[in-house]
Amino acid sequence: PSRESTYFLLDEIHVMKEWQLQLKYYIDAHAKCRFIISGSSKTLLYLDASESLAGRIRFLDVFPLTFREFLEFNNIDLSGMLPQKPDLEGFEDIEKAYHSIIEHKQSILYFLSQYFDTGGYPEWFKIRDMEQWYRTIVEDYFALILFKDIVSVFKVKDPILLEKMVRDIAAVSTNRFTYKGLSERLDIDRETLKLYLYYLQSSMMVFVADVFAPSKKA
């Protein structure tokens, strides 16, 4: 018999009841098998596996396409335009790269705008219709992450307030905010605000970049 392991690829595994215990059984039995699991509910996967499969599982976050990958999906390959080991002292390689890329300037700028609008999701290339894409984002992704992921996993007491908070943050995306200002605008106490913000960050629905401000006393 072969000593090689058999690989099982299981998608949306979080919908299976007590999936982590079933995987733990095979792992602890030293069965000749390996499991590659995936699911749309990142928060639920982490929550279910963090205790039962501690030390037995490794997580890998899969993000949307980078802009370079997005260009490749649109048949623009930058690898042939950019030097592998650029000579930064003479600027010759930089000049060559500039002249190679400038020919595609308009296309690159067009796809950059498209990249921002679509978020770099590969599913865009199946749809390629902006109106339908916005419906997909709102109806599918937004509802899935907010209600099936965050609300159900963290037992959120006020889903309507959470949705209002998400829409408010999305409307001022990339802008600075303070907990005080946001709590007053949403009419919510700061502790609840911080808790809900933690839920959103845990599910990767929002990313918060703290602003460093040196102390005036220093």
Side-chain angles (χ1 to χ4, degrees):
S2 174
R3 294 184 178 181
E4 295 182 0
S5 298
T6 300
Y7 285 82
F8 293 92
L9 280 68
L10 308 173
D11 188 28
E12 299 296 339
I13 195 171
H14 59 276
V15 301
M16 184 171 69
K17 186 178 181 180
E18 296 184 341
W19 63 269
Q20 68 276 25
L21 298 180
Q22 298 188 48
L23 263 62
K24 182 177 182 294
Y25 169 80
Y26 287 102
I27 295 172
D28 290 350
H30 302 288
K32 294 180 180 179
C33 57
R34 295 289 185 270
F35 298 95
I36 299 176
I37 63 175
S38 62
S40 55
S41 179
K42 170 185 178 291
T43 309
L44 196 55
L45 282 176
Y46 273 68
L47 192 66
D48 288 344
S50 59
E51 184 174 341
S52 300
L53 296 176
R56 302 174 178 85
I57 190 171
R58 183 174 64 179
F59 292 101
L60 175 65
D61 293 324
V62 180
F63 293 96
L65 300 173
T66 64
F67 181 53
R68 185 166 185 164
E69 292 169 336
F70 192 82
L71 287 177
E72 291 175 358
F73 269 72
N74 286 286
N75 300 316
I76 297 180
D77 186 3
L78 295 180
S79 60
M81 306 179 194
L82 302 176
Q84 298 297 320
K85 296 181 179 180
D87 179 11
L88 300 180
E89 294 183 1
F91 292 100
E92 292 183 3
D93 288 338
I94 296 178
E95 186 177 7
K96 290 179 181 178
Y98 170 78
H99 288 296
S100 297
I101 293 176
I102 200 66
E103 297 178 9
H104 304 275
K105 177 182 177 180
Q106 295 304 320
S107 296
I108 291 175
L109 290 177
Y110 170 77
F111 289 127
L112 179 62
S113 176
Q114 192 178 87
Y115 179 75
F116 287 146
D117 287 337
T118 61
Y121 287 98
E123 290 86 346
W124 159 252
F125 295 98
K126 294 181 180 179
I127 299 175
R128 292 184 181 272
D129 179 85
M130 199 58 70
E131 185 176 342
Q132 183 181 349
W133 177 252
Y134 287 146
R135 288 199 302 269
T136 300
I137 289 291
V138 174
E139 296 174 7
D140 294 345
Y141 293 161
F142 184 82
L144 177 67
I145 297 175
L146 189 64
F147 296 108
K148 290 188 178 181
D149 194 343
I150 300 175
V151 172
S152 62
V153 171
F154 293 109
K155 312 298 182 186
V156 176
K157 296 181 179 179
D158 194 341
I160 296 177
L161 176 60
L162 179 63
E163 181 181 2
K164 180 182 177 182
M165 177 178 168
V166 173
R167 293 185 181 278
D168 185 274
I169 293 175
V172 293
S173 178
T174 72
N175 290 349
R176 289 189 179 186
F177 75 91
T178 63
Y179 290 116
K180 181 177 183 295
L182 190 57
S183 64
E184 291 177 352
R185 191 162 67 245
L186 295 172
D187 191 21
I188 178 177
D189 64 89
R190 291 194 205 181
E191 293 306 314
T192 302
L193 173 67
K194 291 180 180 180
L195 184 63
Y196 282 8
L197 198 57
Y198 165 75
Y199 295 160
L200 296 173
Q201 291 183 89
S202 298
S203 63
M204 293 187 176
M205 199 167 192
V206 301
F207 292 87
V208 177
D210 295 323
V211 177
F212 172 76
S215 174
K216 295 182 180 179
K217 297 180 180 180

